Each structure stands twice: as C-alpha cells, then as structure tokens.
C-alpha cells in the first residue's frame, strides 16, 4: 500500500513538472524574443518601453523579418514603404525600400514612427490604433463620442480587427514586461 502511495505521489510530481515545462514552452513559442539588442537600443533612443516594441513586433510579424502583408506592409514591424519613407525623410534616417526587410533598419524606423505617434497622440492605446489603422482614421475617431470620451484618448474604433490588434499587443506587452523589462 505504501509503495502504491509513493508511486502515485511520484507520478503526480512528474505530471506537475511536465505541465510546468509545457506551459513554459508554450509561452516561449507564443512570445519569442529576437533582435533584443536592436529593440532595446531603439526603444531607449526613442523613449519607448522595450516590452511595448517587442509586443508590437510579435503581434505584427511574430518576429519574422521577411514578413509581408497583403496590404504591402513589410518586415518585423510591418511598415508600409510610404510610412517608412515619410518617417525616414522627416527624421533624417537613411532609407531604401529594401531596408524594410533588414531587422535593424525596420526596428529603427518603426521605433521612430512610434515616438512620432506618441508625440502626436500621447496615449498608448491611441498610438496602437494609429499604428494599425492610420493617424487619419484616429483623428476622425477621436471626434466621435462613441469612440472617445475626451477627444484625446481612443477607447475603441469601428474596426473589429483593429480593436483585436490593440488588445493583442497589450496582452503580449504584459508577458514581454517580464521578459525584457
């Protein structure tokens, strides 16, 4: 009887350890962290949280530097070439379209764009809405009481995809705060 109890307790302990390992592996796969030096350097340079940048990269491209969307957004941070060119010209960053598949350049331009959006809108959620749907849409939505109570902070928008995007980034950021504070 004692041997059965010991065997049962041993099996339970092994099961618990395996579950913990599987949970850890799940989160490591769901929230990878690559290009950490570039993320940290550019986040710091632009007064951004590295965890926020990593969460955007994870949500946008799952850290695939060669990602390309149907709308033409490219690279880790899924920047449209027109947006990247605007940011590069505005802030004196050397840029060619092919640079968007270069991880370092994509993160540099993406972080500079995020800083621009923060300077314009000030609020993290509003910045995410603008990053995903464009600053023109956000400017319009801020004037609509159903989306913004104060005309400065966007709480929701008419696009389910964009609302889901904002939630995904904010959820991912919680994990990345632990991984790259």
């Amino acid at each position: 009887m004692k041997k059965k109890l010991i065997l049962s307790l041993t099996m339970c302990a092994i099961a618990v350890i395996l579950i913990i390992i599987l949970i850890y592996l799940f989160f490591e796969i769901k929230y990878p962290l690559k290009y950490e030096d570039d993320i940290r350097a550019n986040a710091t340079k632009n007064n951004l949280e590295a965890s926020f940048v990593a969460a955007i990269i994870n949500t946008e491209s799952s850290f695939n530097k060669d990602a390309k969307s149907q709308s033409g957004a490219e690279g880790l941070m899924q920047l449209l070439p027109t947006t990247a060119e605007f940011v590069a010209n505005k802030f004196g960053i050397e840029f060619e379209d092919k640079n968007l598949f270069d991880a370092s350049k994509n993160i540099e331009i993406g972080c500079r764009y995020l800083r621009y959006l923060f300077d314009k809108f000030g609020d993290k959620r509003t910045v995410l809405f603008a990053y995903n749907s464009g600053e023109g849409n956000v400017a319009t939505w801020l004037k609509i009481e159903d989306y913004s109570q104060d005309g400065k902070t966007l709480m929701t928008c008419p696009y389910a995809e964009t609302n889901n995007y904002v939630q995904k980034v904010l959820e991912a950021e919680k994990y990345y705060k632990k991984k790259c504070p």
Side-chain angles (χ1 to χ4, degrees):
M1 185 70 170
K2 217 174 192 180
K3 286 183 180 181
K4 282 186 177 181
L5 179 62
I6 291 172
L7 182 60
S8 292
L9 290 174
T10 303
M11 295 303 285
C12 285
I14 291 170
V16 168
I17 290 168
L18 285 174
I19 289 169
I20 291 169
I21 290 169
L22 288 173
I23 290 170
Y24 172 80
L25 290 173
F26 169 79
F27 282 102
E28 283 300 305
I29 291 168
K30 185 171 181 168
Y31 301 110
L33 182 58
K34 301 176 186 175
Y35 313 106
E36 188 173 359
D37 291 341
D38 285 321
I39 290 170
R40 285 187 187 282
N42 284 287
T44 300
K45 182 179 176 181
N46 289 287
N47 196 25
L48 302 167
E49 295 174 23
S51 57
F52 183 65
V53 175
I56 289 172
I57 292 171
N58 183 57
T59 304
E60 289 286 351
S61 69
S62 298
F63 285 87
N64 176 3
K65 72 176 186 65
D66 298 317
K68 186 166 184 166
S69 74
Q70 290 178 337
S71 64
E74 299 176 345
L76 290 171
M77 297 189 75
Q78 287 294 278
L79 298 166
L80 290 169
T82 53
T83 301
E85 187 173 6
F86 162 76
V87 172
N89 288 338
K90 184 166 181 67
F91 300 103
I93 300 170
E94 228 176 275
F95 171 72
E96 295 177 26
D97 282 356
K98 67 182 178 187
N99 289 143
L100 289 179
F101 294 110
D102 174 84
S104 294
K105 188 58 75 171
N106 190 284
I107 293 169
E108 177 186 9
I109 293 171
C111 285
R112 191 62 194 100
Y113 183 49
L114 285 171
R115 179 74 261 152
Y116 164 80
L117 292 174
F118 267 106
D119 291 346
K120 184 168 187 165
F121 295 112
D123 171 71
K124 185 180 283 187
R125 288 179 62 86
T126 306
V127 165
L128 288 172
F129 280 105
Y131 193 87
N132 185 259
S133 287
E135 54 188 288
N137 283 332
V138 167
T140 300
W141 297 333
L142 284 170
K143 296 174 189 170
I144 302 170
E145 207 171 294
D146 288 345
Y147 306 134
S148 175
Q149 298 299 308
D150 60 6
K152 297 176 185 173
T153 306
L154 200 58
M155 298 311 295
T156 189
C157 79
Y159 302 148
E161 180 184 330
T162 300
N163 288 316
N164 289 336
Y165 169 81
V166 170
Q167 286 309 115
K168 282 181 185 178
V169 172
L170 294 175
E171 281 299 313
E173 183 185 25
K174 290 176 189 174
Y175 182 77
Y176 283 109
K177 280 185 185 268
K178 297 172 190 161
K179 206 166 187 175
C180 65

